[in-house]
Amino acid sequence: IMGTETANNEKSVECPRPGHADLTGGMKYNHRDLRNVLERASARETAARVAVGALVRQVLKPFGIEFLSHVKRIGEVEDTADFTAADFFEKVQNSPVGFGDENAAQKAMEYIDKIKSSGESVGGIVETIVKGVPAGLGSYVHYDRKLDANLAFGVMSVQAIKGVEIGMGFGVSEIPGSKVHDEIEYSDDFHRLTNNAGGIEGGMSNGEPIIVKAAMKPIPTLYNPLRTVNIDDKSEHKATVERSDVCAVPACSVVVEAVIAFEIAKAFLDKFSGDCMADVKAYYDVYMNRIKNF
């Protein structure tokens, strides 16, 4: 059922997993061994993007831009702690599941154990908050330079992500405009009284924290596998079982933060371009002084 042995002692894969790239990737590139698809489609690819994210964060750090991420939900367990609390992200760093509420974290771990014992996998929601982004990154003119569009593209490119929300996200469809749009106040500078927009209006950063949520589906490899079909003889089988985790949501939050950092850095350097960091800093200072006196 599982396939024949290959020269490197890996089993060839003829039984695609539902929910993975196996079958469609094999059809697209005419692979008869679906291992050629599943290995390349693996989220191991994101290790390189996490490394790049670490570098671009260092580029943005001198400008006061900070990235904070946490897990908001694992399956049916939600972390309801307030991320604006002073010690929230310290608790997240010390949590095995990336929660800010210790009781919720314990429930999440118990839930994961329950899911594992049943041969299932589980997904969740991760959230990244970017502080210190100046107003004006992105564009309201060019569709391909809209900051929220590029953030959504980057996050959706992460394996297993099936939904992205900026700020209130889908919640904006449920309530009237007066409770959605953020009122503007001036005190030394312009700022919003709320942040339902998640720091982006008209495709541009507005100076408020940028808030991005991403929904990760359960991992397709199940130890109690789903039904599928052998691509060679078309017989019914159980899907191939590969090495896999039960829950990768905490790791996903690290990946999502990295791709968001890359997109923010790209938009930042598009706005404040220069041949060296001194030029970038000079352009940044001039711009920030100008909009402060707008």
Side-chain angles (χ1 to χ4, degrees):
I1 294 175
M2 300 300 293
T4 57
E5 295 289 339
T6 61
N8 62 357
N9 293 322
E10 289 275 14
K11 292 179 178 179
S12 64
V13 177
E14 293 99 30
C15 297
R17 292 164 295 170
H20 207 278
D22 301 356
L23 178 57
T24 305
M27 295 168 68
K28 177 176 174 66
Y29 292 109
N30 200 27
H31 291 305
R32 301 309 300 180
D33 180 1
L34 301 181
R35 184 170 299 284
N36 293 323
V37 179
L38 69 90
E39 297 291 359
R40 185 59 185 85
S42 167
R44 290 190 298 273
E45 168 267 333
T46 60
R49 290 201 268 177
V50 170
V52 171
L55 292 174
V56 299
R57 279 199 297 269
Q58 296 307 305
V59 173
L60 297 172
K61 189 175 181 180
F63 301 96
I65 298 177
E66 181 182 13
F67 297 85
L68 302 165
S69 297
H70 67 108
V71 175
K72 192 167 183 62
R73 172 181 288 276
I74 291 178
E76 63 184 31
V77 183
E78 183 178 4
D79 182 8
T80 57
D82 182 3
F83 73 75
T84 63
D87 60 347
F88 177 83
F89 285 99
E90 180 181 349
K91 291 180 177 178
V92 167
Q93 290 295 318
N94 294 324
S95 170
V97 293
F99 275 23
D101 183 284
E102 295 175 0
N103 292 329
Q106 183 61 40
K107 290 179 182 177
M109 288 186 284
E110 293 170 358
Y111 180 75
I112 293 169
D113 289 339
K114 177 183 174 182
I115 288 292
K116 181 179 180 179
S117 66
S118 64
E120 284 277 7
S121 61
V122 65
I125 297 174
V126 300
E127 184 173 57
T128 297
I129 299 97
V130 191
K131 297 181 177 180
V133 179
L137 301 193
S139 174
Y140 68 89
V141 180
H142 311 91
Y143 74 90
D144 57 332
R145 298 183 194 175
K146 290 180 179 289
L147 184 59
D148 46 0
N150 287 321
L151 286 171
F153 170 82
V155 174
M156 282 295 292
S157 74
V158 176
Q159 288 83 344
I161 298 300
K162 299 299 285 185
V164 180
E165 292 186 315
I166 309 292
M168 188 179 284
F170 285 98
V172 302
S173 66
E174 303 171 0
I175 55 179
S178 62
K179 298 183 183 302
V180 171
H181 304 299
D182 305 305
E183 293 183 301
I184 300 170
E185 185 178 66
Y186 185 86
S187 177
D188 294 329
D189 60 7
F190 293 101
H191 58 272
R192 275 73 177 170
L193 299 180
T194 54
N195 192 23
N196 296 328
I200 300 177
E201 292 173 313
M204 304 168 294
S205 57
N206 64 13
E208 301 297 331
I210 292 174
I211 301 174
V212 183
K213 292 191 286 292
M216 179 188 186
K217 70 179 182 181
I219 294 171
T221 293
L222 303 178
Y223 288 102
N224 184 18
L226 299 172
R227 291 179 299 172
T228 188
V229 174
N230 184 295
I231 63 170
D232 288 336
D233 61 20
K234 309 305 185 286
S235 58
E236 293 186 4
H237 287 285
K238 293 291 187 179
T240 300
V241 177
E242 296 290 324
R243 58 198 179 280
S244 179
D245 294 318
V246 173
C247 176
V249 180
C252 182
S253 70
V254 176
V255 176
V256 168
E257 180 183 311
V259 299
I260 288 173
F262 180 82
E263 293 299 334
I264 294 293
K266 185 170 67 173
F268 186 90
L269 294 175
D270 282 346
K271 172 64 178 167
F272 307 111
S273 58
D275 294 319
C276 63
M277 287 303 293
D279 290 350
V280 173
K281 181 66 164 59
Y283 186 8
Y284 172 85
D285 289 342
V286 169
Y287 174 79
M288 295 301 290
N289 184 63
R290 178 175 70 77
I291 64 172
K292 183 176 176 60
N293 296 305
F294 181 76

